[in-house]
Amino acid sequence: MDNSGGRRAGGRQWRFGPNDVLAGSATVSIREVLGRVMANIQEDGPRPVIPLGHGDPSVFPCFRTTPVAGDAVVSAVRSAKYNCYAPTIGVLPARCAIAEYLSLDLPYKLSPDDIFLTGGCTQAIEVIISVLSRPGANILLPRPGFPFYESRCAFSGLEVRHFNLVPERSWEVDLEAVEALADENTVAMVVINPGNPCGSVFTYQHLAKVAETASKLGIMVIADEVYDHLTFGENPFVPMGVFGEVVPVLTLGSISKRWVVPGWRLGWIAISDPNGVLKETKIVDGILNFLNISSDPATFIQGAIPHIIEFTKDDFFNKIIDLLRQTADMCYEKIKEIECITCPHKPEGSMFVMVKLNLSHLEDINDDVDLCHKLAKEESVIIAPGGREITRKIKTREEASISSNVF
Amino acid sequence: MDNSGGRRAGGRQWRFGPNDVLAGSATVSIREVLGRVMANIQEDGPRPVIPLGHGDPSVFPCFRTTPVAGDAVVSAVRSAKYNCYAPTIGVLPARCAIAEYLSLDLPYKLSPDDIFLTGGCTQAIEVIISVLSRPGANILLPRPGFPFYESRCAFSGLEVRHFNLVPERSWEVDLEAVEALADENTVAMVVINPGNPCGSVFTYQHLAKVAETASKLGIMVIADEVYDHLTFGENPFVPMGVFGEVVPVLTLGSISKRWVVPGWRLGWIAISDPNGVLKETKIVDGILNFLNISSDPATFIQGAIPHIIEFTKDDFFNKIIDLLRQTADMCYEKIKEIECITCPHKPEGSMFVMVKLNLSHLEDINDDVDLCHKLAKEESVIIAPGSALGMKNWLRITFAIDPSSLEDGLDRLKSFCQRHAKQNK
């Protein structure tokens, strides 16, 4: 077969060139999108940059993680017992601790064998998309959603079909659309709850309908619960695994958000599937095989997990949630004062809110991307463009900084 | 298109099933192969298991890492400055420190922009194989080699062609074979130096010829230097990047082996390519794009790197090397006492040695895999069968364990061989 992939450089022909799929996969990623927005920041701007684009409050002292977490990691490092390679699936004590932790909110018990440690929720997504990708298969993703799913699907060649989250219905899943989109090649649907980017928290009833719909279609539900427990409105957090007997659920989670340590790269896949469907259909084998040929989270961070989970006090969790409630409220109220922006649904979970741009109120702004680029340039404020007439805004910021922000 | 991938479970049809390529990719991995060997260990065996199968001496006190490393990580954690997401390519201070560290042994200077942090050398391999995979392309891998390359190639659909390392020539690359194997679809060749599994350390002259050959063929060299500086014989460590002006070199490295912290998962890809070929051919862009859609090493471990590199004393490095020299010698001498096993080349680097099995001296042992399984069962000693690395009826032995355990393990191996020796010759 002809090598159409070789490239010229330094005045001669070389036989190598990059994988053609990569450029397309990476361009849609949030990192890239925000990178392009941030490129507009004026280097010599006198004001500090206000980062309302990404979900990482760890740099702010008020959001600092509990000392319990740092102590646990330090202790694990000092023990010198965790400098070794970990087992592929993760060290047993961590898997036990996570199984117990997740089981607190489920009507059945997870075993450590149902838990697989990953490098953050990021790698959990890599794993499951890679495992599910087969020629001709498709997956249903929410819109608006988290673009990392789209990136990994593009890279793995898994066809994406989007169902809408409906702003007028608290960003609930349009289940009729899901049924219309699915066909015999659909393998799964992804539900992000609490929601990124919408800040929604689905009710028990809605999740029950999601489960029922997925089961009827013969597909699994991938429940991205990286923001688990970060709710501060009316609706409590209900894990999708609660419906694990109705439909097989793959729960993705991490310590990144609840403990505010996204840089620690410790996440998991939990098989929330008491009927053992994911085992019988060899999906679990697929996960094992993929982990066998992939890198793992640092062993000593795995080793610290039991201590972190056992000794973190509710005080800390409540403090973070109170802070998020406060900043979410502030965000919602201030948005109301801005004519060209509307917020269809007050955020009640996660770290984000989706707001709609009314371009007819603005002079010389073409679209959301244009607004974000100009905002970065003129005001040193970073916001993520929504891809339609929608903008994603983070609300985890210190009060003083937000009130000094001028639109 | 028909969904032939759905599967039945719980008495009904479901539409999902696993990626077909995965099972094949994982089976050949060292983890899986050793897992199958270890399954033969007797649970109630009275003697401790002697692990001569994998390259991880971190559990042994004599191999413990320098306190400088732990201190650096603790300091980074306590600072609370590294709980955040890191930039895709890795935090700048770490990239600067690694660029300087690697440049010490090169005739040119690497910039921090030439360094990309990865989750161990493992992820560095994932990255580069994924980036190079294109329909119809092929890559040249050494045999015997490190099966993780084969696994990732299988997963990415990159065709593998093997060139031999020649035991009689200190495990050097068979360059004639390389030239014969390469065609217009060959994108790269992989060189592991110091060598896993052979324990070889290539001379400057040999590496120069490798570079020349690769350049002639228009391919890049992927230099897996995860065992960099771990040499204790005659030949010094020469980084492939020394020849970066002859041929573009992608250097893969990690703190895992030199600092004995494989569980920390901190590695790198270095673009050792002063002519900028990898940039111009968009390979660097490919690496960036892949990293953009992948998980990263823990930020605080990245943050600890400058301190680790700057303050680790030569004492510590020398101590580890002396220990490896001692255990490599012991291993080589004890193998000489075992009739059915020969070692063609005394190991002088890395943590492994390849030895050849002479089955005609043994009764009722079918092949290397059979020997390893029976050895695990009868003597609680783990050794990796060479067929997992492309050499049937060879064995890969780790000498990177504490000396008294090594002695015990080799004695048990000898005893096993004597017990299974053919009675009438």
Side-chain angles (χ1 to χ4, degrees):
Chain A
M1 196 185 302
D2 243 350
N3 179 8
S4 51
R7 289 176 174 250
R8 283 191 73 78
R12 59 163 288 191
Q13 185 69 23
W14 293 91
R15 291 183 183 165
F16 45 79
N19 179 316
D20 296 314
V21 179
L22 279 172
S25 313
T27 331
V28 299
S29 72
I30 266 285
R31 289 208 238 209
E32 277 280 275
V33 168
L34 285 176
R36 289 195 290 272
V37 169
M38 291 194 280
N40 294 280
I41 296 279
Q42 302 296 292
E43 283 297 328
D44 50 0
R47 294 178 294 178
V49 175
I50 310 281
L52 302 181
H54 60 252
D56 184 359
S58 64
V59 297
F60 304 109
C62 57
F63 277 98
R64 181 163 301 177
T65 191
T66 167
V68 166
D71 288 347
V73 167
V74 169
S75 178
V77 173
R78 292 268 184 244
S79 76
K81 292 201 305 196
Y82 298 105
N83 293 336
C84 53
Y85 287 115
T88 281
I89 48 185
V91 304
L92 181 59
R95 289 184 291 115
C96 288
I98 292 166
E100 275 183 50
Y101 169 71
L102 296 177
S103 298
L104 292 173
D105 302 306
L106 297 172
Y108 52 85
K109 291 252 162 284
L110 291 173
S111 106
D113 293 336
D114 295 319
I115 309 297
F116 300 86
L117 300 191
T118 58
C121 205
T122 298
Q123 196 192 23
I125 296 171
E126 277 183 54
V127 175
I128 187 55
I129 298 300
S130 302
V131 170
L132 287 172
S133 296
R134 285 180 291 107
N138 67 72
I139 192 171
L140 309 182
L141 300 182
R143 178 172 47 205
F146 181 55
F148 191 72
Y149 284 94
E150 280 80 354
S151 291
R152 293 303 312 192
C153 288
F155 180 69
S156 291
L158 181 58
E159 179 197 336
V160 168
R161 298 180 180 186
H162 286 106
F163 57 87
N164 288 335
L165 303 179
V166 188
E168 300 78 27
R169 298 209 305 257
S170 310
W171 295 109
E172 283 187 345
V173 173
D174 181 348
L175 287 166
E176 283 179 4
V178 166
E179 291 202 42
L181 283 169
D183 64 15
E184 67 279 5
N185 294 311
T186 304
V187 294
M189 65 181 290
V190 171
V191 175
I192 307 175
N193 183 52
N196 171 9
C198 304
S200 52
V201 177
F202 293 146
T203 60
Y204 180 99
Q205 292 77 8
H206 182 60
L207 291 172
K209 291 209 197 99
V210 169
E212 200 184 297
T213 304
S215 178
K216 184 163 103 181
L217 297 170
I219 65 180
M220 74 172 74
V221 176
I222 295 167
D224 184 332
E225 298 180 349
V226 72
Y227 291 97
D228 64 355
H229 300 283
L230 292 181
T231 66
F232 37 81
E234 272 188 34
N235 296 337
F237 168 63
V238 176
M240 192 72 210
V242 160
F243 306 98
E245 265 147 354
V246 175
V247 69
V249 175
L250 263 181
T251 304
L252 312 183
S254 165
I255 57 171
S256 298
K257 307 294 177 178
R258 200 178 190 202
W259 274 270
V260 200
V261 287
W264 290 22
R265 312 278 76 231
L266 196 302
W268 55 79
I269 295 172
I271 314 291
S272 320
D273 173 36
N275 295 329
V277 172
L278 297 175
K279 199 169 161 64
E280 206 176 325
T281 51
K282 305 291 185 199
I283 293 295
V284 174
D285 279 355
I287 292 172
L288 265 159
N289 287 334
F290 185 85
L291 289 175
N292 243 335
I293 62 169
S294 306
S295 188
D296 314 319
T299 312
F300 62 75
I301 303 181
Q302 299 186 34
I305 287 294
H307 186 99
I308 292 174
I309 289 183
E310 186 177 345
F311 293 104
T312 300
K313 295 189 173 41
D314 280 347
D315 281 1
F316 166 73
F317 293 140
N318 293 336
K319 182 191 86 162
I320 297 295
I321 286 173
D322 287 343
L323 204 41
L324 289 173
R325 180 182 294 113
Q326 180 190 349
T327 51
D329 283 350
M330 181 200 296
C331 194
Y332 186 64
E333 294 305 319
K334 285 207 170 259
I335 295 288
K336 278 189 196 165
E337 301 169 14
I338 302 172
E339 258 204 54
C340 64
I341 296 180
T342 47
C343 179
H345 181 72
K346 183 175 179 183
E348 45 180 345
S350 89
M351 296 178 179
F352 302 98
V353 63
M354 282 298 274
V355 298
K356 190 172 156 83
L357 207 49
N358 192 339
L359 287 171
S360 62
H361 287 187
L362 294 169
E363 193 90 51
D364 79 323
I365 301 282
N366 301 324
D367 57 22
D368 55 314
V369 175
D370 193 31
L371 182 137
C372 292
H373 283 223
K374 288 182 165 129
L375 183 68
K377 180 172 181 185
E378 296 174 26
E379 300 286 347
S380 299
V381 171
I382 311 293
I383 286 179
R388 284 194 305 185
E389 279 184 4
I390 286 190
T391 308
R392 184 184 86 150
K393 224 175 126 129
I394 186 180
K395 45 182 183 19
T396 58
R397 275 296 278 130
E398 306 208 33
E399 230 174 301
S401 305
I402 286 201
S403 56
S404 69
N405 175 23
V406 177
F407 256 88
Chain B
M1 194 188 301
D2 242 350
N3 180 7
S4 52
R7 289 177 175 248
R8 283 191 73 77
R12 59 163 287 193
Q13 185 68 24
W14 293 91
R15 292 182 182 166
F16 44 80
N19 179 318
D20 296 315
V21 179
L22 278 171
S25 313
T27 332
V28 299
S29 74
I30 267 285
R31 289 208 237 210
E32 276 282 282
V33 169
L34 285 176
R36 289 195 290 272
V37 169
M38 289 191 282
N40 293 280
I41 296 279
Q42 301 296 292
E43 284 297 327
D44 51 1
R47 294 178 295 177
V49 176
I50 310 281
L52 302 182
H54 61 252
D56 184 0
S58 63
V59 297
F60 303 108
C62 56
F63 277 99
R64 181 164 301 179
T65 191
T66 168
V68 166
D71 289 347
V73 167
V74 168
S75 178
V77 173
R78 293 267 183 245
S79 76
K81 293 204 301 202
Y82 298 104
N83 293 335
C84 52
Y85 288 115
T88 281
I89 46 183
V91 303
L92 181 59
R95 290 185 290 114
C96 287
I98 293 167
E100 274 183 50
Y101 168 70
L102 296 176
S103 298
L104 291 173
D105 302 306
L106 297 173
Y108 53 86
K109 291 253 162 284
L110 292 173
S111 109
D113 293 336
D114 296 318
I115 309 296
F116 300 85
L117 300 191
T118 58
C121 206
T122 299
Q123 197 193 23
I125 296 172
E126 277 183 53
V127 175
I128 188 54
I129 298 299
S130 303
V131 171
L132 287 173
S133 297
R134 284 180 293 107
N138 68 70
I139 191 170
L140 309 182
L141 299 182
R143 178 172 47 207
F146 181 55
F148 190 73
Y149 284 95
E150 281 79 355
S151 291
R152 293 303 312 192
C153 288
F155 181 68
S156 291
L158 181 59
E159 179 198 335
V160 169
R161 298 179 180 186
H162 286 104
F163 58 87
N164 287 337
L165 302 179
V166 188
E168 300 77 28
R169 298 208 304 256
S170 310
W171 296 108
E172 284 186 346
V173 174
D174 181 349
L175 287 167
E176 282 177 3
V178 167
E179 294 203 43
L181 283 169
D183 64 16
E184 67 279 3
N185 294 309
T186 305
V187 293
M189 66 181 289
V190 170
V191 175
I192 306 175
N193 183 52
N196 172 9
C198 304
S200 52
V201 176
F202 293 146
T203 60
Y204 179 100
Q205 292 77 6
H206 182 59
L207 291 172
K209 289 208 199 101
V210 169
E212 200 184 296
T213 305
S215 177
K216 185 163 98 179
L217 297 171
I219 65 181
M220 74 172 75
V221 176
I222 295 167
D224 183 332
E225 297 180 349
V226 71
Y227 291 97
D228 65 354
H229 300 282
L230 292 182
T231 66
F232 36 83
E234 273 187 33
N235 297 337
F237 168 62
V238 176
M240 192 73 210
V242 160
F243 306 98
E245 264 148 352
V246 173
V247 69
V249 175
L250 264 183
T251 303
L252 312 183
S254 165
I255 56 171
S256 299
K257 307 293 178 180
R258 198 176 192 205
W259 274 269
V260 200
V261 287
W264 290 22
R265 312 276 78 231
L266 196 304
W268 54 79
I269 295 172
I271 313 292
S272 321
D273 173 35
N275 295 329
V277 172
L278 298 174
K279 197 167 163 65
E280 207 177 324
T281 51
K282 304 293 185 195
I283 293 294
V284 175
D285 278 355
I287 292 171
L288 265 160
N289 287 334
F290 186 86
L291 289 175
N292 244 333
I293 63 169
S294 307
S295 187
D296 314 318
T299 312
F300 61 75
I301 303 180
Q302 299 185 33
I305 287 292
H307 186 98
I308 293 174
I309 290 183
E310 185 176 347
F311 291 105
T312 299
K313 294 190 175 35
D314 281 346
D315 282 2
F316 165 72
F317 293 141
N318 293 337
K319 182 191 86 164
I320 297 296
I321 285 172
D322 286 344
L323 205 40
L324 289 172
R325 182 182 293 111
Q326 179 190 348
T327 50
D329 282 352
M330 180 198 296
C331 192
Y332 184 65
E333 294 304 319
K334 284 207 170 263
I335 294 288
K336 280 191 196 163
E337 298 170 17
I338 303 175
E339 259 204 52
C340 63
I341 296 179
T342 45
C343 179
H345 182 72
K346 182 175 180 184
E348 45 180 343
S350 90
M351 296 178 179
F352 301 99
V353 63
M354 282 297 275
V355 299
K356 190 173 155 79
L357 208 49
N358 191 339
L359 286 173
S360 63
H361 287 187
L362 294 169
E363 193 89 51
D364 80 323
I365 301 285
N366 301 323
D367 58 23
D368 55 315
V369 176
D370 192 31
L371 183 139
C372 291
H373 283 223
K374 287 182 165 124
L375 184 68
K377 180 173 182 182
E378 296 174 27
E379 301 283 350
S380 299
V381 172
I382 312 293
I383 286 179
S387 42
L389 316 168
M391 287 186 69
K392 196 170 160 62
N393 296 335
W394 286 71
L395 304 171
R396 183 188 80 167
I397 300 180
T398 301
F399 45 82
I401 76 172
D402 77 286
S404 70
S405 300
L406 179 63
E407 187 170 18
D408 186 1
L410 293 168
D411 285 342
R412 294 190 209 173
L413 174 62
K414 180 175 177 180
S415 155
F416 174 92
C417 290
Q418 282 167 343
R419 198 163 60 245
H420 288 266
K422 266 212 174 74
Q423 294 314 309
N424 35 320
K425 293 211 200 89

